[in-house]
Amino acid sequence: MKRIGLWLLLCLFCLLPMGCSAVESSPEPVVPSDEIRILDGSWVDEHENYLILNAAENRYVFVTRSGRVGGGIYRPLSESPVLLFCGASFRLTQDEGGISFSCEGMQGEEGLPGGLFYRSSKRYYEIPAADLSGTWVSSSGNALTLDGENMTYRYSAQNGEIKGDLQDAQDGRGWFLSTENGKVFLSVARDKNALVLLERFLTGTAEETFTRQ
């Protein structure tokens, strides 16, 4: 009888609620997936700058009117969606059927457009380094060789040659060539058979167009 009584006492003890365990193990509030993904998809402003948001991957893609494509970090919490661009945080605000950006704190070398972005059906994706590999030649005969595996480039012109790193800082501005004078960003055509150097380079021109060989 003593053994049975002890067994019943132990069972009763196990059934009693533990005072602090419920508080310690309480789950964090979960934001419904439909609220997190409410802004997912493609957006465009009046100047044809595109923004593509993907909450599942915490990523965004930003495409400028010049065709430069870059990806970065997107924090999709429904109450305060934020994306990181060029070293600064930009809060997304829904307004008049579109979205706009406001910079929080100091802005970096470049900011996001100030106008409204509206829904678009177009889709853009980040460009893998492997898709850039190869030799590209301009109409003036200058050659640009990109190595997506080793992340390097070689630029050859009549007045000299430059070698350096091919980089993407993952700050929303995309691929660029690192030079002594700064960054030279690339604008790559959607079919990936042509690209443009967007800043002044060895030729001294504002832009230089190359086609894939």
Side-chain angles (χ1 to χ4, degrees):
M1 291 295 294
K2 289 182 179 181
R3 290 183 178 179
I4 296 175
L6 180 60
W7 180 80
L8 290 174
L9 181 62
L10 289 173
C11 289
L12 179 62
F13 180 79
C14 291
L15 293 173
L16 291 175
M18 302 301 290
C20 63
S21 62
V23 175
E24 293 175 352
S25 62
S26 59
E28 295 182 359
V30 177
V31 180
S33 60
D34 57 341
E35 291 185 25
I36 288 179
R37 298 176 182 176
I38 194 170
L39 298 180
D40 271 13
S42 182
W43 302 78
V44 63
D45 71 359
E46 62 178 347
H47 302 295
E48 295 192 348
N49 296 302
Y50 285 85
L51 175 70
I52 297 86
L53 301 175
N54 187 330
E57 297 182 3
N58 284 67
R59 297 288 296 175
Y60 74 86
V61 177
F62 184 66
V63 184
T64 67
R65 57 192 296 180
S66 67
R68 189 189 69 194
V69 180
I73 297 174
Y74 170 51
R75 296 174 179 166
L77 293 180
S78 60
E79 67 275 11
S80 57
V82 169
L83 57 81
L84 305 183
F85 180 84
C86 193
S89 296
F90 287 82
R91 186 177 300 277
L92 277 65
T93 303
Q94 298 185 63
D95 186 23
E96 300 179 4
I99 57 175
S100 60
F101 311 102
S102 58
C103 184
E104 299 183 328
M106 295 294 293
Q107 188 169 289
E109 298 174 346
E110 183 180 341
L112 288 169
L116 286 174
F117 280 67
Y118 295 97
R119 286 287 186 184
S120 170
S121 59
K122 285 190 176 181
R123 288 285 189 263
Y124 291 89
Y125 303 92
E126 294 182 65
I127 302 172
D131 289 359
L132 298 175
S133 291
T135 298
W136 308 71
V137 177
S138 70
S139 58
S140 59
N142 298 330
L144 175 66
T145 301
L146 302 176
D147 185 340
E149 181 176 355
N150 296 307
M151 304 298 288
T152 59
Y153 75 88
R154 184 176 71 253
Y155 179 90
S156 303
Q158 292 181 351
N159 57 340
E161 182 178 272
I162 290 180
K163 296 180 180 179
D165 295 327
L166 172 66
Q167 296 178 303
D168 183 345
Q170 293 294 304
D171 64 355
R173 295 188 293 171
W175 293 105
F176 63 90
L177 310 180
S178 180
T179 75
E180 293 181 355
N181 298 322
K183 302 170 183 175
V184 177
F185 286 93
L186 307 179
S187 170
V188 183
R190 296 201 71 176
D191 63 6
K192 299 175 184 176
N193 287 320
L195 62 79
V196 178
L197 298 183
L198 294 177
E199 284 77 12
R200 295 183 182 277
F201 209 43
L202 282 181
T203 59
T205 58
E207 293 184 353
E208 188 174 9
T209 301
F210 293 76
T211 55
R212 189 189 291 275
Q213 298 301 295

